[in-house]
Amino acid sequence: MRDACPPAFGRRDFAAMAAALLPASAARAQEWPARPIRMIVPGTGGGGMDVIARVIADRMGSILGQPFVVENRAGAGGNIAVDAVAKAAPDGYTVLLGQTAHFAINPSLYARLPFDTQRDFIPVVQLADAPNVVVVGEGSRYRALQDVVADARRTPEGLHLATPGNGTVSHLTGELFQGVAGIRFTHVPYRGAAAAVTDVIAGRVPLMMSSVPTALSNIRDGRLRAIAVSAARRSPVLPDVPTIGEQGFPGFDANTWYGLFVPAGTPTAVVQRLNTAANDALRAAGVADRVRQEGGDIVGGTAEAFARMVVADAAKWSRVVQESGARPD
């Protein structure tokens, strides 16, 4: 004898079930956070991104009443950390400190990724941004960007330009600039910034495109000379260094942004609370000064504004990746 067929599950039953579940879901969101929150950082400890993460995590923990535990996960251009958060439970207890490379460059740079940055994440808030900076050694004859451009136009093979590696924001900013300026660089990719900085200081490579946080201590010590910043406005920590736009290339704007992301499916109420806590943290005494010490500038704002910016930036850097033929190291 066959089992009797179960009763049909109709639209009204589904609506009733959804209505019954909504209060429980809302209650869980209201109870959040009930335990510590992980903030995963795609990189090693001690760098500019790690410092920003720890400053913000400390303040957000105080605001929300639960500690934020910073967890560094380096490797694969940040993709290991990003993948870990993409696969985490969407409950607000795992957040990612992501940046331009992870969300605007890597999706075009890598042929295959185990996640989709636009489908698998919710942008929460932009925390800060920082420009790139063109630096030369203290003994260099280059005093302004136009000196570099003039020399590049006289050098058929292109001036050698050091960067921390293929596909980095620094590399692609250099690619973007040479297209705008009508010049050519011979790209010299390093495996990280430290060796590149050493060679520029020693004069073995004439110039470097670097993040401000990476180059800042050597600029302050006089071992590197900053001749241009890549953002639309001057850097607060390098107020005497003109922008690329100010030196004959109006409208040029390329920087690295840093922001918080959570896995897709995280309750809207939790995303909003994270956004509010992050904005409150950015306004807290001393936070802006600490971020500026690392070469950045605080931003803040709504989750919606950040999401729009991420999408626009991904379209911009995708074009640069395709036109340059950049590939990861």
Side-chain angles (χ1 to χ4, degrees):
M1 179 176 177
R2 291 191 306 175
D3 293 337
C5 294
F9 192 76
R11 188 174 300 174
R12 289 183 181 178
D13 300 294
F14 184 84
M17 184 185 75
L21 289 175
L22 279 174
S25 175
R28 285 194 297 272
Q30 297 228 332
E31 291 167 3
W32 180 93
R35 54 186 168 87
I37 298 161
R38 288 192 306 161
M39 181 182 287
I40 295 182
V41 179
T44 56
M49 186 164 59
D50 180 66
V51 171
I52 291 172
R54 292 178 187 277
V55 169
I56 298 300
D58 181 63
R59 294 288 183 173
M60 288 183 69
S62 297
I63 291 165
L64 290 170
Q66 289 288 347
F68 276 63
V69 180
V70 175
E71 183 179 318
N72 296 96
R73 291 200 186 184
N79 293 329
I80 291 173
V82 177
D83 187 43
V85 177
K87 292 176 171 56
D91 54 11
Y93 290 101
T94 304
V95 300
L96 173 75
L97 178 61
Q99 53 117 305
T100 305
H102 311 137
F103 283 82
I105 292 175
N106 287 358
S108 299
L109 186 68
Y110 288 83
R112 186 176 300 169
L113 290 173
F115 52 82
D116 184 311
T117 51
Q118 295 192 25
R119 182 193 65 210
D120 296 337
F121 292 90
I122 299 173
V124 176
V125 65
Q126 184 179 357
L127 297 174
D129 61 21
N132 282 281
V133 60
V134 181
V135 294
V136 298
E138 61 180 328
S140 173
R141 66 182 183 276
Y142 300 137
R143 297 281 169 179
L145 190 62
Q146 285 297 350
D147 299 333
V148 171
V149 171
D151 213 4
R153 286 174 177 160
R154 293 192 293 265
T155 309
E157 69 276 15
L159 292 180
H160 286 74
L161 174 71
T163 75
N166 283 314
T168 59
V169 179
S170 296
H171 169 207
L172 295 176
T173 299
E175 295 285 345
L176 188 63
F177 176 68
Q178 67 179 354
V180 169
I183 60 174
R184 181 184 171 195
F185 291 126
T186 296
H187 180 219
V188 185
Y190 286 75
R191 291 192 176 275
V197 168
T198 297
D199 280 359
V200 174
I201 290 173
R204 289 187 284 270
V205 183
L207 69 158
M208 177 181 179
M209 185 73 76
S210 170
S211 69
V212 169
T214 295
L216 191 57
S217 63
N218 285 297
I219 293 170
R220 286 171 169 162
D221 291 345
R223 287 176 288 189
L224 290 176
R225 182 187 309 130
I227 60 175
V229 294
S230 65
R233 63 184 187 277
R234 294 193 183 196
S235 168
V237 294
L238 298 171
D240 297 327
V241 180
T243 67
I244 288 175
E246 289 177 299
Q247 298 185 73
F249 304 96
F252 192 92
D253 185 13
N255 61 14
T256 299
W257 49 256
Y258 306 90
L260 296 183
F261 296 81
V262 291
T266 300
T268 301
V270 171
V271 174
Q272 185 54 56
R273 288 192 69 192
L274 280 166
N275 176 275
T276 299
N279 277 290
D280 289 346
L282 291 172
R283 289 190 289 267
V287 169
D289 289 342
R290 189 68 186 90
V291 171
R292 284 174 184 145
Q293 286 173 15
E294 296 302 318
D297 200 13
I298 63 168
V299 179
T302 67
E304 293 77 13
F306 184 36
R308 289 193 297 271
M309 190 274 290
V310 172
V311 171
D313 221 36
K316 166 186 168 180
W317 288 116
S318 174
R319 289 193 298 272
V320 180
V321 170
Q322 291 171 6
E323 291 169 2
S324 68
R327 292 291 180 269
D329 289 324

